[in-house]
Amino acid sequence: IGCADSRVPAETICGLPPGSLFVHRNIANMVNNVDVSAMSVIQFAVTVLKVQHIVICGHYNCGGVAASMKNVDHGSPLENWLRNIRDVYRLHREELDQIGDMEDRAKRLVELNVVEQAINLYKARTVQARRVETFQNLKQFGFVQPRIHPVVYDPGTGELRRLDVLMREWIRDLVPIYNLYSVESGPQVE
């Protein structure tokens, strides 16, 4: 899942031939639970293609992130989309406001946005269901799938860097709120 920016071609930055990756792109690599397109892509990738890994890739100098940092009405529907990035800023405001240089602040917001979108992937019901299924059958699958990899691409240097975060630590507190499945009982339905 990557940004719609044409400077960030997924196969190229991964060193793969065209058609090697199943890709979804939108402004600022968002995973929004009301985005039917993104949720459909994720559902197809996880339930039909049985992807083992999902990469959420942001990039520095992201126009969507830069636009979200300006107190400007970009008009609907773009403004509605950018509000989600502003919500990421709000969640991490204390850290971000400590960064005086606006370029460095934007870079950090790119990174935090990638982490938050990775968390949003974990919250998706199809991802949760598949992770429980593969956890219950580790001998068959080898590891819990899909694994989610938060990465950032630097178009200026060509470097693709995995963010140094342990997703387990980020999502631990969210389990009681967002988990739809438990290993013992499957889907939690009322």
Side-chain angles (χ1 to χ4, degrees):
I1 298 172
C3 186
D5 191 315
S6 63
R7 297 173 298 165
V8 191
E11 284 91 350
T12 303
I13 64 175
C14 292
L16 298 169
S20 299
L21 300 173
F22 190 67
V23 178
H24 178 74
R25 295 169 67 152
N26 61 43
I27 296 171
N29 46 272
M30 301 298 292
V31 177
N32 186 318
N33 70 318
V34 296
D35 178 355
V36 176
S37 177
M39 290 295 108
S40 297
V41 167
I42 292 164
Q43 180 179 353
F44 185 79
V46 171
T47 63
V48 177
L49 299 177
K50 308 283 189 204
V51 296
Q52 297 179 337
H53 302 273
I54 300 176
V55 173
I56 180 82
C57 182
H59 69 94
Y60 297 127
N61 302 315
C62 178
V65 168
S68 76
M69 293 177 70
K70 296 178 180 159
N71 291 329
V72 173
D73 182 355
H74 296 89
S76 183
L78 179 59
E79 187 59 34
N80 304 30
W81 192 261
L82 296 176
R83 203 225 46 215
N84 293 290
I85 307 166
R86 288 188 178 118
D87 288 343
V88 172
Y89 194 108
R90 177 182 50 81
L91 290 170
H92 301 279
R93 184 175 182 176
E94 188 174 319
E95 175 186 348
L96 290 165
D97 285 350
Q98 300 276 330
I99 303 170
D101 181 78
M102 291 306 285
E103 186 175 323
D104 290 340
R105 186 182 298 183
K107 284 182 176 180
R108 184 61 181 147
L109 181 54
V110 164
E111 295 168 354
L112 291 169
N113 186 53
V114 167
V115 171
E116 290 297 334
Q117 302 321 306
I119 290 168
N120 287 343
L121 277 168
Y122 279 108
K123 293 188 290 189
R125 64 168 296 285
T126 54
V127 170
Q128 287 186 30
R130 179 74 176 151
R131 288 179 60 81
V132 168
E133 174 192 356
T134 57
F135 176 79
Q136 290 174 329
N137 299 291
L138 281 176
K139 287 184 182 178
Q140 177 185 352
F141 295 107
F143 61 94
V144 176
Q145 300 172 19
R147 284 197 177 149
I148 297 171
H149 307 277
V151 302
V152 173
Y153 177 67
D154 186 339
T157 65
E159 178 187 10
L160 179 65
R161 181 175 59 88
R162 181 178 168 91
L163 293 178
D164 187 24
V165 296
L166 293 173
M167 292 308 299
R168 195 173 303 151
E169 292 177 9
W170 282 80
I171 63 173
R172 183 177 296 127
D173 292 337
L174 303 176
V175 168
I177 301 166
Y178 293 105
N179 261 20
L180 302 175
Y181 296 84
S182 70
V183 174
E184 300 82 32
S185 62
Q188 305 296 313
V189 181
E190 292 200 19

